[in-house]
Amino acid sequence: MKHHLDNLIHQITADKKKLGIMVCALALGLLLWGRLILQGVPRTATADEKTNVAKVEQDTGDQTTQSVKPAKALPVVQVDLPGHPGRDLFGMDPNRYKRNPDAITKQTGAKSPQVTPDVDPRKLLVRNEAAELRLESVVTGTEPRAYINGYLLAPGDEYEGFTLVQVTDRHVILTKYGLFIKLRM
C-alpha cells in the first residue's frame, strides 16, 4: 500500500504546473463550498402572492424551523408595447435614394481602355522565353539546386537571362526583367 501511495504522490508532483492549477482549483472549490455552509443558507424558500410574505425553512441540526419575514414591496410598472414598430429600421427606403444614370456618367467621365496583361511587351517576351525552359529535377536541403534544360543551377545563378530565386519541392521561381516566373516540373 505504501508503494502505491508513493507512486501516486510522485505522479501528482511530477508536473509542477498541473499541480499548481489543481491545488488552486481545489482551494477555490473549498472556499465556495465553505461560504455556503458558513452562511446558513435556507434550504427552501417559498413566496405567497396574497400575503406578500416569504416562508423560510432552515435546517438547524436535529429540527427544521420555520420563520415568517415580511417581503420587501417593490413598485410595479406597467409598460404597453405596440404590436409592431411604425417602420422597418433595417429596410432601405427606395424613394430616398433615387438612381440618376446621367449624373453618374457626368461624374465619372469616359472609361479608359482596358489593358490586359498580354499587351505588356515585357510579359509577352518573358512568357515566350520561359516556354522554352524545362525543369527536370530539384534538390532541396541546405544547398538547394535545380536542373533546368540540363544545367545545374543554384539560387542566384543565371541561365539565358533568367535568375534562379528560389527552389522548392515541386517548382522553382525565376526572375527576368523584374518579372517573376514559376516553373513547375
Side-chain angles (χ1 to χ4, degrees):
M1 181 68 181
K2 172 106 171 109
H3 173 69
H4 292 295
L5 186 61
D6 289 340
N7 205 9
L8 180 65
I9 290 172
H10 176 68
Q11 287 178 350
I12 291 174
T13 59
D15 189 0
K16 301 295 182 190
K17 186 176 180 182
K18 287 182 183 177
L19 176 66
I21 292 171
M22 187 174 65
V23 167
C24 288
L26 183 65
L28 181 65
L30 286 174
L31 177 70
L32 293 174
W33 187 58
R35 279 187 63 202
L36 288 176
I37 291 175
L38 295 177
Q39 280 184 346
V41 178
R43 299 287 178 196
T44 59
T46 58
D48 187 10
E49 285 184 13
K50 296 175 185 172
T51 59
N52 204 18
V53 294
K55 294 180 183 178
V56 179
E57 295 180 13
Q58 289 183 334
D59 189 12
T60 57
D62 296 345
Q63 57 188 3
T64 302
T65 60
Q66 288 187 357
S67 62
V68 177
K69 296 180 183 178
K72 193 185 244 185
L74 297 175
V76 177
V77 178
Q78 296 292 330
V79 177
D80 292 327
L81 296 175
H84 64 284
R87 64 184 175 99
D88 185 10
L89 299 176
F90 298 104
M92 192 171 96
D93 185 13
N95 297 328
R96 186 174 179 155
Y97 303 103
K98 293 184 179 180
R99 290 185 60 99
N100 189 355
D102 296 332
I104 294 172
T105 56
K106 288 178 186 175
Q107 221 175 23
T108 57
K111 290 187 175 182
S112 60
Q114 204 172 19
V115 178
T116 62
D118 294 334
V119 174
D120 189 7
R122 290 184 316 152
K123 289 183 180 180
L124 282 174
L125 180 64
V126 170
R127 188 176 290 160
N128 290 336
E129 290 178 4
E132 298 173 7
L133 298 177
R134 196 177 75 143
L135 179 61
E136 297 171 0
S137 175
V138 294
V139 177
T140 57
T142 57
E143 297 178 14
R145 302 278 191 256
Y147 274 103
I148 300 175
N149 290 359
Y151 289 94
L152 181 64
L153 302 173
D157 291 346
E158 287 190 22
Y159 174 72
E160 293 187 11
F162 289 94
T163 304
L164 182 63
V165 177
Q166 183 181 9
V167 178
T168 63
D169 290 339
R170 303 293 296 165
H171 67 274
V172 294
I173 297 178
L174 304 163
T175 183
K176 186 172 187 176
Y177 304 131
L179 300 172
F180 290 93
I181 309 295
K182 183 187 246 185
L183 189 62
R184 295 188 174 109
M185 278 199 256

